[in-house]
Amino acid sequence: MKFFIADAFTDTLFGGNPAGVVLIPDGEDFPNDEIMRKTAAELRYSETAFIKRITHDAENNDNKETLKPAFHARYFTPTGEVDLCGHATIASFYSLAKAGLLSDESVESISVHTLAGDIEIQIEYEKNSASESSQPSFLLMDMADPKHISTINDAIEIDRLYEIMGTEFDQSINLLPMIMSTGLPDIMMPMANQRELDSLNPDFDALSKLSEKYNVTGVHAFCIEPNQPKQGEDPSNADIICHTRNFAPLYGIDEEAATGTSSGALTYYLCLNQKIGTHAKCQFIQGEAMDRPSIILTTIDAHETCRIRVGGRAAILAEGEIDL
């Protein structure tokens, strides 16, 4: 089987969030769960994606030319399987393109089956004039349906959360921690400013127990950038910019440099708390404390149904063969 190592949510090597990607050959099934978990542990990245092409869309459609390409993705941390992983999905489709397994259209739409549900990937390509091949220039993916699971509004519970994270709750920000999900549940933890965000020093054992108590993956701490860019000054034209940090020690991840699902959940949080409108773009900067800066772009369209998409780029570091 072919494998890749890719840095997601960056176009620069050694930035962003690295992920392992294992491509399952056509006609073969996934290895057993324990083999995939051990592979993720051996590669030592926060997540490793295992992905294969599927043809279930063709079962009830005679016109195969109209069918979107479809893939099945599974995601493993060193300790077990998770339903969805945004940065490993970004890494996977850059890897598939590198392996020559995607089309060379200017824009391609792909369906991906995950444990969190079927999601749609949209890939924009740029033509490499030297080789006349196409490589992704940007990837935008649907998140699972957003959910506001609960709000942590008990003063004792709030103080305990912030104590575990090595800080104190600042009531002046007028935001409460909330458990949100766009595929994986996380505690959205508001901070007053970037200095306070950077100073977080969690008690990881206590955070793991707290994550079990709330049945969440971990904590996604954030602060809102105070100086918003004027139209045209920022290339993303973002309606809001946040700095973020993500901690998931329960799943063997003390801190992660970029998290797509948590960024999707934060987008929904900001909308519910009226920090952005129902049709908005966001830019999240993560990984600064790890010296692996990542830029994650999200969009929300909540006029009727709520659709959240997360986007970014990736840089391929290595590829090779893996014997499983």
Side-chain angles (χ1 to χ4, degrees), residues 115-133:
L115 287 178
D118 291 346
I119 62 175
E120 183 180 320
I121 307 289
Q122 182 173 307
I123 305 175
E124 297 179 8
Y125 291 94
E126 60 184 359
K127 184 71 70 174
N128 186 322
S129 58
S131 64
E132 296 188 353
S133 64

Side-chain angles (χ1 to χ4, degrees), residues 4-255:
F4 291 82
I5 297 168
D7 295 329
F9 294 116
T10 181
D11 55 7
T12 305
L13 287 177
F14 311 116
N17 197 1
V21 178
V22 178
L23 307 184
I24 309 299
D26 287 348
E28 294 192 20
D29 203 354
F30 293 105
N32 69 57
D33 290 8
E34 185 62 7
I35 290 293
M36 289 191 282
R37 185 199 67 78
K38 286 182 176 179
T39 301
E42 190 79 3
L43 291 176
R44 294 179 173 84
Y45 295 109
S46 57
E47 278 92 4
T48 293
F50 297 80
I51 188 163
K52 69 173 185 176
R53 196 195 320 260
I54 56 175
T55 57
H56 70 268
D57 283 350
E59 292 177 359
N60 300 309
N61 194 323
D62 294 330
N63 186 2
K64 296 184 179 180
E65 293 183 357
T66 67
L67 298 176
K68 290 189 293 188
F71 290 84
H72 185 181
R74 296 180 66 184
Y75 309 92
F76 282 79
T77 76
T79 61
E81 187 170 13
V82 294
D83 290 353
L84 183 64
C85 177
H87 84 272
T89 303
I90 295 276
S92 293
F93 281 89
Y94 272 78
S95 299
L96 286 164
K98 176 77 172 182
L101 299 176
L102 299 179
S103 78
D104 59 356
E105 300 175 8
S106 59
V107 177
E108 182 175 15
S109 182
I110 295 172
S111 175
V112 186
H113 177 69
T114 76
L115 287 178
D118 291 346
I119 62 175
E120 183 180 320
I121 307 289
Q122 182 173 307
I123 305 175
E124 297 179 8
Y125 291 94
E126 60 184 359
K127 184 71 70 174
N128 186 322
S129 58
S131 64
E132 296 188 353
S133 64
S134 293
Q135 290 297 318
S137 63
F138 194 80
L139 189 151
L140 198 63
M141 58 186 168
D142 280 346
M143 291 288 96
D145 290 339
K147 297 176 182 177
H148 170 211
I149 298 170
S150 64
T151 299
I152 303 175
N153 50 24
D154 179 84
I156 295 176
E157 292 188 1
I158 292 174
D159 287 344
R160 178 59 178 155
L161 167 63
Y162 281 77
E163 177 186 8
I164 287 172
M165 298 301 293
T167 188
E168 296 180 351
F169 178 58
D170 186 341
Q171 296 185 10
S172 69
I173 58 178
N174 295 317
L175 291 169
L176 291 172
M178 301 170 85
I179 299 176
M180 315 290 293
S181 175
T182 52
L184 297 175
D186 274 308
I187 298 172
M188 300 294 115
M189 179 178 158
M191 301 293 298
N193 52 58
Q194 191 174 357
R195 178 179 58 81
E196 295 294 331
L197 180 71
D198 291 343
S199 70
L200 290 177
N201 185 26
D203 178 336
F204 290 117
D205 289 338
L207 180 54
S208 292
K209 293 175 183 177
L210 188 75
S211 299
E212 285 186 304
K213 172 186 174 181
Y214 285 117
N215 194 27
V216 297
T217 304
V219 167
H220 196 64
F222 71 95
C223 67
I224 298 172
E225 176 68 47
N227 297 317
Q228 297 301 314
K230 295 179 182 178
Q231 187 74 15
E233 286 187 356
D234 184 86
S236 71
N237 290 328
D239 296 288
I240 197 169
I241 294 176
C242 296
H243 298 267
T244 69
R245 296 180 70 183
N246 187 275
F247 307 91
L250 180 62
Y251 288 86
I253 308 165
D254 285 349
E255 183 167 2

Side-chain angles (χ1 to χ4, degrees), residues 271 276-280 299-307:
C271 184
I276 57 174
T278 57
H279 185 79
T299 66
I300 183 169
D301 187 347
H303 286 152
E304 295 181 1
T305 60
C306 187
R307 184 185 194 187

